[in-house]
Amino acid sequence: MSPKATAEEVSPQVALRRALSLFPTGVVALAAVVDGQPTGIAVNSFISVSLEPPLVAVCPARTSTTWPVLARATRIGLSVLGADQEQTARSLASRTGDRFANIDWRATEGGAIHMDGAALWLECEIRHSFDGGDHEIVTLEVISSEAFPEVTPLVFHLSQFRGL
Ligand SMILES: Cc1cc2nc3c(=O)[nH]c(=O)nc-3n(C[C@H](O)[C@H](O)[C@H](O)COP(=O)(O)O)c2cc1C
């Protein structure tokens, strides 16, 4: 172990975040048109939950300023980002600027936004919200889906974007 690593002291939260970063995930864009504006965030807290009824879940942070706006949407689009969509992920996570400026996206009639070039599109409606500490655990019912199995997904691992 390097001297830097042994001398470093970190908070339990930072240590836990680092430990959990060993778990590889995909990256999902959550987006919808709300009050006429494209609105969205990138998340990696996405899981499949149930087939009957068809449910997935995400965990928005309680500090998120965008989630409460997105939660007002009738339908929310989920896009499992492709390996070449790292910039889309970064843009949807950015604190400044127009998150959709350099992204090719399309909206459904219900207002769900999907990213062109993603591996999977889901059009969802929020079902329930549960306490998840400093995050919410939100289940969403999948209303429709479109898969692009030829697209290699983006992977987030050790706080870095990678391919499979
Ligand atoms: C790879 C990656 C995964 C993320 N996962 C989550 C997540 O699961 N939940 C969450 O609330 N924010 C997550 N974020 C942060 C959001 O994308 C966004 O930065 C955050 O919501 C702050 O913006 P806001 O105040 O506009 O909501 C993630 C960001 C990145 C880059």
Side-chain angles (χ1 to χ4, degrees):
M1 198 180 283
S2 73
K4 184 169 177 273
T6 50
E8 195 179 18
E9 284 187 24
V10 297
S11 68
Q13 290 82 5
V14 170
L16 181 58
R17 184 189 296 149
R18 281 188 192 170
L20 295 177
S21 76
L22 287 163
F23 180 63
T25 68
V27 183
V28 173
L30 298 187
V33 179
V34 186
D35 300 334
Q37 295 297 318
T39 305
I41 57 173
V43 302
N44 67 341
S45 58
F46 168 85
I47 53 167
S48 60
V49 174
S50 163
L51 296 178
E52 184 51 52
L55 295 174
V56 297
V58 296
C59 299
R62 296 214 184 266
T63 53
S64 170
T65 56
T66 302
W67 173 251
V69 182
L70 257 186
R72 290 198 276 114
T74 313
R75 296 264 174 99
I76 299 180
L78 277 67
S79 302
V80 174
L81 296 180
D84 63 356
Q85 293 186 302
E86 178 176 337
Q87 284 315 316
T88 300
R90 289 187 188 281
S91 183
L92 289 172
S94 68
R95 306 245 167 213
T96 55
D98 178 358
R99 287 182 178 169
F100 289 82
N102 296 306
I103 296 177
D104 292 325
W105 56 272
R106 62 189 65 200
T108 67
E109 276 182 20
I113 288 180
H114 293 128
M115 309 305 159
D116 289 349
L120 174 66
W121 291 342
L122 302 176
E123 183 166 1
C124 297
E125 289 180 3
I126 294 176
R127 283 296 169 257
H128 294 102
S129 175
F130 303 91
D131 181 24
D134 57 14
H135 284 61
E136 271 178 73
I137 303 166
V138 178
T139 57
L140 301 117
E141 181 164 349
V142 179
I143 307 301
S144 66
S145 66
E146 193 165 348
F148 308 93
E150 70 281 6
V151 175
T152 305
L154 184 63
V155 173
F156 195 62
H157 177 242
L158 281 172
S159 304
Q160 290 183 342
F161 293 102
R162 303 169 189 266
L164 274 182

